[in-house]
Amino acid sequence: MRRFFAELPDASAGTLVTLPVDESLHASRTLRLRPGERVGLLDGRGVSVAATLVGTGGRVAAEITGPLPSAEPRLRVTLWQGLPKLDKLERIIQKSTELGARRIIPTLFGRCDVRVFPAERVTRGNRVARESSKQCGRAWCPPVEPLASFDECVARVGGGGAAAYLLWERASEPFAECFAKRPPGMDRAIIIVGPEGGISDEEAERLQGAGALAVSLGPRILRTETAPIAALALMFGLSGDLG
Ligand code: SAM
């Protein structure tokens, strides 16, 4: 089923929805969809419905037929990602969106080689997340935020409310074992991944001092773009949202 983003203030069956211009063009010109075609509509904020196209041309409209089952994981995971080279960041955004990350926050660590995340790349990152959500059928599109400072990351960890896991190759506790000990019903978590240059001892100490649990993903050093994907797959696998 082809999926399109649309505003869905009223998601009840029978509601007529006009697709935004870019999605209309995609449906009518690129995909050449015709009236009667069954499609999925996603609002990017958690609502997804099935619909039937009722007209094609300049602006495409669709009539909602009913809700679609949710593809959202129950566990909401925010990824604080040490800013890597921007092409790698886009790969991380794409894959972590597919896996189910809730929010992605590029973060400046002392050892980041790249130190700026220009506004146009933030926009592009959000576009990558949007395309990825659409492709995998997620009604939630994870926001990709502007560059956060390391201090903001520490403050968020210290703010409580979510278990925070610091992925650190020098940690002794395996992530899977640590995650298995999570409180029953835990529905929010943070994962923190260092950039290509890694996390300094001082940064690791500050994060742990704020309450982050340092965890290992095994004896091999993973690339900064591999570590968050491995961690998300593990978390969603263990919590029953993958596999
Ligand atoms: N510090 C290393 C160095 O400079 O050789 C490499 C950093 S690694 C490329 C980037 C990030 O991936 C690390 O900061 C960490 O967050 C995560 N990472 C990589 N391998 C890991 C492992 N085996 N266990 C936990 N985290 C890992």
Side-chain angles (χ1 to χ4, degrees), residues 167-169 193-199 215-218 220-222 227:
L167 304 187
W168 198 33
E169 59 279 10
V193 181
E196 286 102 335
I199 294 169
V215 290
S216 161
L217 285 171
R220 291 173 297 284
I221 305 288
L222 306 178

Side-chain angles (χ1 to χ4, degrees), residues 168-175 177 214-216:
W168 198 33
E169 59 279 10
R170 288 168 49 200
S172 51
E173 180 153 28
F175 189 14
E177 281 178 22
V215 290
S216 161

Side-chain angles (χ1 to χ4, degrees), residues 136-151:
C136 72
R138 268 186 90 180
W140 177 263
C141 178
V144 177
E145 308 215 342
L147 187 61
S149 67
F150 178 72
D151 287 349

Side-chain angles (χ1 to χ4, degrees), residues 15-234:
T15 303
L16 208 57
V17 178
T18 303
L19 301 197
V21 175
D22 55 337
E23 294 289 67
S24 284
L25 289 174
H26 187 58
S28 60
R29 298 221 183 132
T30 315
L31 300 172
R32 299 188 173 280
L33 299 183
R34 295 281 166 258
E37 199 96 37
R38 301 252 306 141
V39 297
L41 302 180
L42 315 168
D43 75 348
R45 292 185 290 274
V47 178
S48 57
V49 292
T52 306
L53 291 189
V54 292
T56 55
R59 286 292 281 276
V60 173
E63 186 179 327
I64 296 176
T65 53
L68 279 177
S70 169
E72 248 350 84
R74 202 187 57 81
L75 181 65
R76 297 180 174 196
V77 182
T78 298
L79 167 61
W80 291 76
Q81 171 66 50
L83 186 67
K85 292 195 181 70
L86 298 182
D87 59 327
K88 285 189 186 177
L89 179 64
E90 287 175 12
R91 250 178 286 149
I92 293 168
I93 293 168
Q94 185 189 59
K95 305 300 174 206
S96 18
T97 300
E98 280 172 52
L99 284 166
R102 185 77 185 178
R103 194 167 155 219
I104 299 164
I105 310 180
T107 309
L108 193 63
F109 283 74
R111 293 188 187 155
C112 285
D113 295 331
V114 176
R115 304 199 65 83
V116 287
F117 185 31
E120 65 273 18
R121 295 301 289 251
V122 180
T123 304
R124 196 162 126 170
N126 277 290
R127 208 177 309 132
V128 169
R130 192 174 151 90
E131 284 310 311
S132 189
S133 311
K134 192 156 98 167
Q135 180 272 327
C136 72
R138 268 186 90 180
W140 177 263
C141 178
V144 177
E145 308 215 342
L147 187 61
S149 67
F150 178 72
D151 287 349
E152 286 174 79
C153 181
V154 173
R156 181 54 58 88
V157 168
Y165 300 98
L166 165 65
L167 304 187
W168 198 33
E169 59 279 10
R170 288 168 49 200
S172 51
E173 180 153 28
F175 189 14
E177 281 178 22
C178 184
F179 187 69
K181 290 187 258 172
R182 68 195 181 280
M186 181 181 93
D187 62 357
R188 281 192 297 150
I190 287 170
I191 52 176
I192 304 159
V193 181
E196 286 102 335
I199 294 169
S200 69
D201 289 356
E202 195 208 336
E203 286 168 336
E205 271 165 33
R206 279 193 63 199
L207 286 165
Q208 289 178 92
L213 303 165
V215 290
S216 161
L217 285 171
R220 291 173 297 284
I221 305 288
L222 306 178
R223 287 177 184 261
T224 185
E225 68 271 35
T226 310
I229 306 312
L232 288 167
L234 195 87

